[in-house]
């Protein structure tokens, strides 16, 4: 789902008209109409105000539910890691950081 459709869905779920959302977020109603039509993109400040009024996170306003999170198998692994003692979590984080840096370096050298 794209941002305009998500905004419409969240606004309707909050039982708000375009005018009520605009008033609550201190945004002109014409801007809300443009956002919902997909003819304008909100500024970060506008996104923050919309998220507060709609009682969602910025991620919830901008991204689909699973668009930014890890895949299911990684989510289960992260959940298992979160239950480990602090020292083991630090080691796993260091391993992940190293692998991410290695991957990023490889991507940079392959482009050059």
């Amino acid at each position: 789902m794209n941002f305009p459709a998500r905004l419409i869905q969240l606004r309707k779920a909050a039982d708000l008209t375009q005018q009520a959302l605009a008033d609550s977020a201190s945004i002109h109603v014409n801007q809300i109409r443009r956002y919902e039509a997909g003819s304008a993109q909100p500024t970060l400040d506008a996104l923050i105000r919309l998220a507060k009024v709609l009682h969602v996170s910025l991620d919830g306003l901008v991204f689909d539910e699973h668009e930014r999170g890890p895949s299911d198998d990684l989510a289960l692994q992260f959940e298992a890691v979160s239950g480990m003692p602090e020292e083991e979590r630090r080691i796993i984080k260091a391993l992940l950081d190293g692998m991410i840096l290695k991957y990023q370096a490889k991507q940079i050298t392959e482009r050059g």
Side-chain angles (χ1 to χ4, degrees):
M1 178 184 314
N2 59 21
F3 173 75
R6 192 170 304 104
L7 181 60
I8 293 168
Q9 179 186 33
L10 290 168
R11 176 179 59 77
K12 288 181 178 181
D15 198 29
L16 295 170
T17 63
Q18 288 178 331
Q19 186 66 58
L21 177 59
D23 292 344
S24 297
S26 299
I27 298 171
H28 197 280
V29 68
N30 287 338
Q31 278 304 104
I32 299 295
R33 289 183 184 126
R34 289 182 192 108
Y35 300 156
E36 290 188 358
S39 61
Q41 293 293 317
T43 63
L44 179 57
D45 182 58
L47 286 170
I48 291 168
R49 286 186 271 145
L50 289 168
K52 285 180 180 178
V53 170
L54 295 168
H55 305 288
V56 295
S57 68
L58 280 173
D59 277 2
L61 181 59
V62 177
F63 297 104
D64 283 333
E65 185 178 340
H66 298 292
E67 189 174 356
R68 293 219 41 219
S71 60
D72 287 343
D73 59 335
L74 284 176
L76 289 174
Q77 290 173 322
F78 288 136
E79 186 177 324
V81 168
S82 70
M84 294 179 179
E86 180 64 29
E87 181 59 27
E88 277 80 8
R89 287 197 317 260
R90 259 196 305 272
I91 292 168
I92 292 169
K93 185 179 180 306
L95 288 168
L96 283 172
D97 287 343
M99 292 303 298
I100 291 167
L101 287 172
K102 178 183 172 190
Y103 175 79
Q104 290 171 337
K106 182 180 176 188
Q107 295 298 308
I108 290 169
T109 57
E110 287 178 355
R111 282 187 236 146

